[in-house]
Each structure stands twice: as structure tokens, then as C-alpha cells.
Amino acid sequence: MSHALLPRPRASHNAGALSGSIRVPGDKSISHRAMMFGAMALGRTNVTGLLEGEDVLATGRAMQALGAKVEKIGETWHIDGLGVGGFLAPRADLDFGNAGTGVRLTMGLVGAYPFVTRFVGDASLSARPMARVLDPLRAIGVEVVEHHENRLPIALKGPTDPVPVHYRVPMASAQVKSCVLLAGLVIPGTTTVIEPIMTRDHTEKMLEGFGADIAIATDADGVRTITVAGLPDLKAQELIVPGDPSSAGFPLVAALIVPGSEVTIENVLMNPTRTGLIDTLIEMGGDIAIENRRVSGGEDIADLRVKHSRLKGVSVPASRAPSMIDEYPVLAVAASFAQGVTHMAGLEELRVKESDRLAAVARGLEANGVVCEEGQDFLTVTGKGAVPGGGTVATHLDHRIAMSFLVMGLATEKPVTVDDDRMIATSFPSFEPDFTRLGAGFSQSEDAA
């Protein structure tokens, strides 16, 4: 995706009730890992339901550059892996575009290899801090050959004799945890990660599924100790990627706030580390029925039937943040239509996403007539049951900001405009056509052009 092109403003407006069924793109976290684990396994891994957004495709290209064969035939992705320790030195930079998960996890994946790998990305990714993954890699003995104040471009060279680490994750971050665990795969001995607050556990589930020697112990305070043995024989798998709960948040909130709506969201991942938004919306009075529960590839899946609801303000504890960190922008939209105050705590991680998401959400709310208070690590939204709208939102090239405020405009009195919608393709390429089928209204915006 080229951000040198002119922005493409988009507006959404209230076109009446939403109805029908929608199947959101495959889970982004699992899709990234499917590419990586397939590349590390021996044999051919077949993946269906993969999120074909630009972030995941960037990870796929990186795996190709490291020597794996990645191709799509029909609706299935085939990944011919090289085995743990089998990656080859890339001949060119690994360009991750806007994929923060892809770049941070791949740094762990190849960090301990004794060759130089250079990582680059777009303007948004290059502004994001990488020290959180570079610090544990340095502890392993990885040399950071090049960096720009711990930001991209970054070049890593692994040590001749890497040593396993015993690493306590200093913040609630699945990316940091996963980076260390993946690095540990190519290091003889046992790598240990201490996780004080549990975050999404897809890496652990997938490691186990592919045949790694991994153990997890949780103490009385909820602190998890995860150990992984180095140099395992990972075996190719058949994977079905469930629908991304972060993407499901957009039709979920849209159905709750647009009067008369009833929408079914099919095949949604219901991993307990990812359902914070659903739990919160139900607490707010959302009519959300969880139907057809089932298990696929070790992950819980269900369909969600959602009806328009009168929401009320709630207090969202900081402890819930890891299970819904990407969903706070769209939760803030729901809170705008609720009656009363919604207080969201523990949001410091939002400062280092694709944009400073906390500031971007607050400015977007204010632009559309919503009263809110932004603190360093909290957001308080005062809902009055209805939102005037009519504002233009600066997205800062952030796909979740763009989609959240386009959802808002489906229920506001006046249309809501986002200054650019091109980056939505990174995670939800079919966002507008899928919503249009449900009855949503979108138009080109002349005001922001």
C-alpha cells in the first residue's frame, strides 16, 4: 500500500436498520501465526479462512524471503516449511508495510539466526517503538546492527551461540511474549517467559498444535510461566482460521446502535483472551446471543446474533484491557450512544498502536459532539443516547479509527466523515461491501477532499 497517493475521504450516514448475516475476515493474529508456523514446520501446512489483508500478506512475503514456499490455490493457502532452524538469509529487506504483529514476531522468529536480517515498513510502522522486542532479543545475544532510536529500519544479527532466557514481560503484550517464545525455538535449552497478566494465547496454542514441547503453569495470582524447549520438530497442519473478533466488533456495535437492526455474525473466534468487547457490551445491556458454539483447531468459535439495544454506561476495569485492546475505539463509539458515563482504564498500550489511538479516538468523539475526557491511560465517555455527528475524523492512517467512526456515522443525526479509508484493507478488505449488504450507507465525502 502506498501512502504517497492522495487520501480517500469517506462518509457514512444513517440509512436505516441493518439486517442479515455477515462473516468477518479470518482472525489477524492467527493468520499471521499460520504463515509463520507453516514456514517453520516440516511438510506442507494448508490454511483456509486466512485473512488476506495487506498485513498478513506482508508476513507471507517475509516467509517466502526466508526460504519457505507460500502459494494460494483455490481458497486454500499452501505453505511448504523448512523446519526449525531452516530459514535462509534473505537477499533483500523484509518489508512489513503496516504490520506491527508481523514485524515484531518475525524479529523473534529470525533474531537468533547467525545472519543479518533487515526490517523495514511504511511511515506509520516506522514511527512505532520496537524497544519492547529488541530488549529481550539483546538478552539472548542478538546484535542490533542498525536501528533509529529503536524504530525501523532495524537490522538484526543473531549470535553464534544464542542462550535461552528467563524473561519477565514488563507490560501486557502478546507480541513481546510471542517474540521471545519464537526466538526460543531455535535456541538449545529451555526458554522461559513469565507473564504477570495473561494476554492472547494463540502462540502457545499453535506451538502445542504444531508439536512443540511447551508447558504453562499459572500461580494463585494469575501469573503464567511458559516454557518452550528449543529445536523441536514442528509438523505441518491443516488449519481453519476463525473470524477475527476485533473485526467482528464493527458489525456488533453497528447492530447495537442502529435502531431496528438484527445482524448475525458467523464463525467468530471466542477465545477467552479475546472476548472482552463482547463481555463489556453485554454488561452495557447489549442483546447479544452466542449461538452454535464449537471448537476448531483448539480454538472456541460461535455465531453472534445481535439486536439493537438501549445501552448504559459502565466502568471497564484495566484488567480487561489485554482481552480487547484493539476494540476500544469501537467500544468508545458504543459508549457514545449509551446513557451515562463509560470509564475505560488501563489504556496506555493504545498510545503505541498504528497511531496514538487514545488521542485519535478522543479527537474523533469531540469532532462529532461527544463529551469525553482523555487521560494518559484512560478514556471517559459521557453518552446521551444519541450523537449529533457531522464531524471529520483524522484517522492517522489507522484502520481501526477509520472503521470505528464509519460505524458511528451509521447511527448519527448527520454523516460522519473519515479523512482516509484506504488503510482499512490492512485488516478488513471487504468492510464496505459487506456493510452495504447489511443496509449501511456510505458516500464519497466532498467536505474532506
Side-chain angles (χ1 to χ4, degrees):
M1 176 174 59
S2 172
H3 290 311
L5 299 174
L6 290 173
R8 190 174 65 192
R10 202 72 176 146
S12 57
H13 56 90
N14 191 334
L18 305 175
S19 65
S21 297
I22 184 171
R23 184 170 283 233
V24 297
D27 183 72
K28 194 175 180 184
S29 297
I30 294 176
S31 293
H32 277 299
R33 288 163 175 81
M35 287 287 195
M36 294 176 186
F37 280 83
M40 286 190 294
L42 285 168
R44 170 169 283 192
T45 292
N46 299 314
V47 185
T48 54
L50 187 91
L51 168 62
E52 295 179 8
E54 293 174 17
D55 286 14
V56 173
L57 297 181
T59 293
R61 288 191 292 272
M63 296 306 105
Q64 286 179 308
L66 294 165
K69 184 179 178 183
V70 180
E71 63 178 345
K72 185 183 182 187
I73 301 173
E75 295 302 310
T76 303
W77 286 83
H78 304 286
I79 307 159
D80 293 324
L82 302 162
V84 171
F87 285 148
L88 308 175
R91 296 177 181 174
D93 296 347
L94 301 186
D95 187 348
F96 281 88
N98 193 38
T101 298
V103 74
R104 289 191 178 115
L105 268 57
T106 304
M107 284 182 185
L109 213 59
V110 302
Y113 279 80
F115 51 68
V116 175
T117 308
R118 191 168 186 266
F119 301 82
V120 299
D122 68 9
S124 170
L125 187 62
S126 299
R128 295 167 69 179
M130 298 292 159
R132 55 178 51 194
V133 291
L134 296 180
D135 290 345
L137 290 175
R138 288 181 174 112
I140 291 165
V142 177
E143 182 185 355
V144 183
V145 179
E146 175 192 1
H147 70 96
H148 299 260
E149 296 181 345
N150 291 315
R151 288 172 166 80
L152 299 178
I154 288 171
L156 304 178
K157 184 174 190 293
T160 308
D161 297 304
V163 293
V165 291
H166 190 280
Y167 189 74
R168 186 180 182 91
V169 182
M171 76 289 287
S173 172
Q175 292 179 1
V176 177
K177 169 181 66 176
S178 298
C179 173
V180 179
L181 291 173
L182 294 174
L185 293 176
V186 291
I187 301 174
T190 300
T191 292
T192 303
V193 176
I194 310 296
E195 185 180 43
I197 300 173
M198 184 176 180
T199 61
R200 54 184 67 177
D201 59 353
H202 307 303
T203 298
E204 298 96 301
K205 284 182 181 293
M206 206 171 279
L207 277 168
E208 187 174 1
F210 274 79
D213 182 1
I214 181 169
I216 303 165
T218 306
D219 71 13
D221 296 323
V223 177
R224 302 171 82 230
T225 300
I226 309 159
T227 57
V228 65
L231 306 176
D233 288 326
L234 300 184
K235 297 176 178 61
Q237 301 292 313
E238 301 286 325
L239 294 178
I240 300 171
V241 181
D244 192 324
S246 298
S247 296
F250 302 111
L252 188 58
V253 169
L256 289 172
I257 65 174
V258 177
S261 296
E262 181 173 348
V263 172
T264 298
I265 310 164
E266 299 174 344
N267 198 49
V268 180
L269 174 68
M270 295 295 288
N271 182 304
T273 66
R274 301 288 301 282
T275 56
L277 177 66
I278 296 168
D279 297 339
T280 303
L281 291 171
I282 290 172
E283 284 178 13
M284 294 173 76
D287 184 346
I288 303 169
I290 301 170
E291 302 175 335
N292 193 18
R293 286 184 180 270
R294 53 207 186 273
V295 176
S296 175
E299 296 281 7
D300 296 322
I301 301 171
D303 302 331
L304 305 177
R305 187 164 47 80
V306 192
K307 296 179 182 178
H308 171 250
S309 305
R310 292 176 63 85
L311 303 176
K312 63 179 187 295
V314 296
S315 183
V316 189
S319 59
R320 198 173 289 170
S323 71
M324 57 181 295
I325 196 64
D326 287 328
E327 286 84 88
Y328 280 104
V330 79
L331 174 62
V333 168
S336 303
F337 289 88
Q339 286 286 355
V341 175
T342 296
H343 180 72
M344 299 163 248
L347 307 187
E348 58 274 8
E349 182 78 2
L350 290 184
R351 298 281 185 195
V352 294
K353 288 291 186 177
E354 280 84 335
S355 64
D356 179 343
R357 259 189 202 150
L358 192 47
V361 169
R363 301 295 83 75
L365 295 175
E366 290 165 353
N368 286 286
V370 178
V371 175
C372 67
E373 181 187 356
E374 170 203 356
Q376 184 55 36
D377 61 353
F378 72 85
L379 181 67
T380 298
V381 178
T382 301
K384 296 178 180 175
V387 175
T392 296
V393 177
T395 59
H396 303 282
L397 303 178
D398 189 321
H399 54 126
R400 298 199 194 282
I401 298 298
M403 288 184 281
S404 296
F405 284 97
L406 287 174
V407 165
M408 172 184 267
L410 301 179
T412 48
E413 295 161 22
K414 298 176 184 175
V416 171
T417 300
V418 299
D419 64 3
D420 197 355
D421 75 345
R422 290 170 301 139
M423 79 298 289
I424 288 174
T426 64
S427 67
F428 202 153
S430 60
F431 175 82
E432 187 170 321
D434 285 355
F435 268 75
T436 300
R437 278 192 292 276
L438 296 175
F442 299 100
S443 59
Q444 288 183 329
S445 167
E446 282 141 30
D447 310 338

